[in-house]
Amino acid sequence: MSRLLVLFISICWSFSVVAGQAAVAMPDSYSAKAAAKVLEEGGNAVDASITAGFVLAVTLPEAGNLGGGGFMLFYQNNKTDFLDYREKAPQKAHRDMYLDDKGEVQTEKPLYGILASGVPGSVMGLWQAHQKYGSLPWERLVQPAIELAENGFIPHKKLQAYVQEYLDEIEAAPHGRNFAKYFAALTGGQRFKQPELAATLTRIAKQGPKDFYEGETADKLVSFMQHHGGLISKEDLKQYQAQWRTPLQKSWRSYEVVSAPPPSSGGLVLLQMLAMLSDKIDCLEDVAHNSTRYVHLLAELAKPAFADRAEYMGDPDFYPVPVQKLLDDAYLAERAKLINPIKISETEAIKPGLQESENTTHYSVVDKWGNAVATTTTLNLSFGSGMVVEGAGFLLNDEMDDFSAKPGVPNYFGAVGKDANAIAPGKRMLSSMTPTLLIKNGQVQMVTGSPGGTTIISSVYQSILNRVLFNMDAQSLVDAPRVHHQLLPKNTIRHHPKLDKTVQDGLVKMGYTLDARRFGDLQVIVRDADGALAAASESSGRGLSMVVETK
Ligand code: DON
């Protein structure tokens, strides 16, 4: 082939888009339809994501939120950008705040009730994203959420069941949660209205973050805290700012993989595992998707990455996370040598490598100009702390559990940590949220992300492998059974129940303990070779994906 022809083909590849096409992949139908409408009206991917963020605060109470935080990853006007609106520890928080007299962690305290919440970041995050990149008016973007809160929405059966389960759990162990007062009515299946939340959203539509961080909503939140003995103060809210950060980026095969920097561990662990996998690619060539050998290899690759996570990762504003060193090619080539492709390596032998010192939600949007936004947002566990701010109608997060309450003691997700992720006033807790983009020749080829605590990283990782190594279409790649290993608990692989039975038997024979439990809810957009977009939501959830033809 002549050089000119090659050049011509690669130009066609890099600029092939289907004119006017945009796409959304959302965790429920209300957010999908509202975001698609914004795109049809000429809004960009950021506008659509802001609308989705507010709608989810109404229709996906287990994770969509005003009282939580998140990360937004952008590809806007051919540049990447990242907004960190993760919650922060209140000023009155301190390192040992969850330990009892004997120095043991009181595990329920950072998870349930009034002491579990960090200072919420979502309203500020959505606002700052709008200030920098939004094109339609803010009020227009908040409006769909106001309508759904005011006029109500018909809850999906899965949501009704989910709320009922949570109510049963609260009845067995209340931990001070006032959730039932606000959400018991949702289980009946009738139109569910949230008048206090509608009023809060109306104030946010008119006044932006001023209301939430300094105005009437702030007053309601602070008096709720004072009444129940919580820590978040007026000063905490007033000082809260979201943080623009440089996303992590690393070349992998023919793509640029762009992902979340600290205070997420997601991008670092993902890029480490991809790089180490490349180092082992020769042994992968003859390994079939989701075979025993493949699953074992993924488990081995997770070990050194999770050992580094526990030792070095935390809020970069408080702790010098050695990002460059952790992503250094020579370092990762050395780390890849720890991986045994045919046998389980000793967990105790996998140490951090440098020489020195269940509910979240994700949504993906691509607009007709090729801009993309990947957003992961969370209250931490489903329905967060289970505490609804009285008079303001929104749930507060239980993100404090993502800190390491005591060195080496696992949190809810079994993650351990040390100094890097110890509690300190104003500090952000380490996250696993991994909104990620794959870019080739200046064009977004894949937008991916998922909920699932530490399993988020595995879901995102395997969505990428399914696409790039196994060439799966959008729906197949989100629905293929996935696996997760995180160094500890030792030799334990969590897997989707549909993982092939003979593969499960093979793993047990190798010495693994299996934990058959679903995790994740991938929301993915990909661009096919002809430039057309395809979008998919994992079938197990209640998501909806749409390719939108705009003018
Ligand atoms: O930021 C994190 O890593 C966790 N708070 C996410 C929690 C989560 O995904 C729960 N979902 N199933």
Side-chain angles (χ1 to χ4, degrees):
M1 223 185 315
S2 79
R3 267 200 203 170
L4 254 180
L5 189 58
V6 172
L7 186 66
F8 176 74
I9 288 171
S10 64
I11 287 173
C12 288
W13 165 259
S14 58
F15 293 107
S16 65
V17 286
V18 174
Q21 217 181 34
V24 300
M26 295 282 154
D28 81 354
S29 61
Y30 295 105
S31 52
K33 287 174 189 163
K37 192 144 186 282
V38 168
L39 293 171
E40 280 158 4
E41 271 176 32
N44 63 24
V46 178
D47 294 323
S49 301
I50 291 166
T51 289
F54 282 114
V55 166
L56 290 167
V58 179
T59 62
L60 199 110
E62 69 267 43
N65 65 80
L66 300 182
F71 298 135
M72 232 181 216
L73 174 63
F74 306 82
Y75 188 71
Q76 185 77 13
N77 309 325
N78 300 318
K79 286 199 197 93
T80 58
D81 205 348
F82 183 85
L83 184 59
D84 164 7
Y85 52 98
R86 181 80 164 155
E87 301 90 326
K88 287 179 163 200
Q91 286 305 318
K92 286 192 206 118
H94 59 90
R95 190 186 173 100
D96 298 333
M97 64 186 276
Y98 297 119
L99 303 187
D100 64 13
D101 296 347
K102 294 189 194 102
E104 303 297 333
V105 179
Q106 302 168 277
T107 49
E108 75 294 346
K109 288 254 160 74
L111 284 174
Y112 313 113
I114 201 70
L115 288 175
S117 304
V119 183
S122 291
V123 174
M124 187 60 86
L126 295 175
W127 172 260
Q128 286 187 210
H130 185 257
Q131 291 287 102
K132 193 161 176 183
Y133 294 121
S135 70
L136 296 186
W138 171 255
E139 284 193 65
R140 153 70 188 90
L141 302 177
V142 186
Q143 191 57 30
I146 297 175
E147 284 165 21
L148 285 159
E150 205 162 75
N151 306 331
F153 70 99
I154 306 291
H156 193 289
K157 281 209 160 49
K158 286 181 185 171
L159 176 58
Q160 291 175 42
Y162 213 10
V163 168
Q164 188 55 57
E165 243 173 68
Y166 191 68
L167 289 169
D168 295 346
E169 183 196 307
I170 290 184
E171 205 166 301
H175 297 306
R177 289 174 277 185
N178 69 347
F179 178 84
K181 178 170 163 191
Y182 280 84
F183 286 95
L186 190 150
T187 56
Q190 290 92 351
R191 188 166 284 278
F192 178 63
K193 297 185 183 177
Q194 300 172 81
E196 288 181 7
L197 181 58
T200 302
L201 285 162
T202 304
R203 289 193 297 274
I204 291 169
K206 292 208 175 98
Q207 301 163 40
K210 192 98 184 139
D211 166 67
F212 191 91
Y213 293 93
E214 293 180 62
E216 192 177 329
T217 304
D219 291 343
K220 287 185 194 301
L221 201 163
V222 171
S223 59
F224 181 68
M225 281 285 143
Q226 286 167 349
H227 182 75
H228 293 276
L231 300 185
I232 298 174
S233 68
K234 252 194 158 147
E235 218 34 50
D236 284 323
L237 289 171
K238 203 170 164 194
Q239 280 173 10
Y240 186 87
Q241 283 299 323
Q243 192 70 41
W244 290 99
R245 300 191 190 274
T246 307
L248 299 182
Q249 181 159 342
K250 196 164 174 61
S251 303
W252 183 71
R253 296 173 78 88
S254 53
Y255 296 91
E256 284 301 312
V257 182
V258 184
S259 194
S264 183
S265 62
L268 278 173
V269 172
L270 172 71
L271 295 179
Q272 284 197 329
M273 293 195 301
L274 285 171
M276 290 187 290
L277 176 70
S278 279
D279 242 69
K280 295 277 155 192
I281 212 89
D282 290 344
C283 51
L284 188 73
E285 298 275 288
D286 63 336
V287 177
H289 180 256
N290 274 1
S291 60
T292 307
R293 221 173 136 196
Y294 179 75
V295 174
H296 166 68
L297 188 63
L298 296 190
E300 283 286 299
L301 287 159
K303 283 181 170 173
F306 273 91
D308 281 354
R309 182 190 192 277
E311 185 76 21
Y312 305 119
M313 300 182 201
D315 182 349
D317 297 340
F318 281 71
Y319 186 89
V321 183
V323 172
Q324 303 307 329
K325 289 179 186 163
L326 291 170
L327 292 182
D328 178 72
D329 285 330
Y331 171 69
L332 291 170
E334 266 317 294
R335 297 291 276 166
K337 288 185 187 153
L338 295 169
I339 287 150
N340 186 331
I342 46 176
K343 235 179 97 216
I344 300 179
S345 58
E346 269 301 311
T347 300
E348 293 74 13
I350 313 288
K351 306 273 185 232
L354 294 179
Q355 290 310 306
E356 65 232 53
S357 63
E358 223 159 303
N359 210 308
T360 297
T361 192
H362 175 88
Y363 48 99
S364 299
V365 181
V366 173
D367 67 23
K368 64 180 169 188
W369 298 282
N371 301 313
V373 179
T375 308
T376 314
T377 180
T378 189
L379 289 165
N380 194 27
L381 298 196
S382 299
F383 311 107
S385 61
M387 299 296 279
V388 183
V389 177
E390 306 258 353
F394 63 91
L395 276 159
L396 284 168
N397 68 83
D398 58 345
E399 222 70 65
M400 292 297 283
D401 190 62
D402 276 347
F403 278 117
S404 168
K406 186 179 174 180
V409 175
N411 73 352
Y412 181 85
F413 294 104
V416 290
K418 294 185 187 160
D419 271 0
N421 191 31
I423 303 171
K427 187 175 176 181
R428 289 179 158 103
M429 53 297 280
L430 183 63
S431 174
S432 299
M433 293 187 287
T434 316
T436 298
L437 303 173
L438 260 62
I439 299 174
K440 191 182 213 166
N441 300 330
Q443 190 185 61
V444 172
Q445 302 294 330
M446 183 170 186
V447 188
T448 180
S450 173
T454 44
T455 68
I456 291 173
I457 308 172
S458 295
S459 291
V460 171
Y461 177 50
Q462 286 158 61
S463 73
I464 294 171
L465 301 184
N466 289 350
R467 180 69 179 173
V468 176
L469 300 183
F470 300 100
N471 215 9
M472 291 185 196
D473 63 58
Q475 196 63 53
S476 312
L477 80 86
V478 297
D479 284 339
R482 297 191 294 276
V483 296
H484 173 72
H485 175 68
Q486 57 178 43
L487 188 65
L488 296 170
K490 189 174 168 177
N491 300 340
T492 301
I493 291 180
R494 183 166 166 185
H495 66 90
H496 286 189
K498 283 196 178 137
L499 184 71
D500 191 85
K501 187 74 180 74
T502 52
V503 171
Q504 294 183 34
D505 293 345
L507 291 165
V508 170
K509 221 182 246 162
M510 286 186 79
Y512 284 108
T513 303
L514 297 188
D515 174 9
R517 271 187 297 149
R518 279 207 59 80
F519 56 85
D521 185 33
L522 282 164
Q523 303 295 335
V524 170
I525 300 173
V526 292
R527 196 180 288 284
D528 288 328
D530 61 358
L533 293 173
S537 302
E538 211 168 311
S539 306
S540 57
R542 54 183 206 271
L544 177 67
S545 296
M546 297 155 80
V547 173
V548 188
E549 305 297 338
T550 66
K551 275 171 255 148

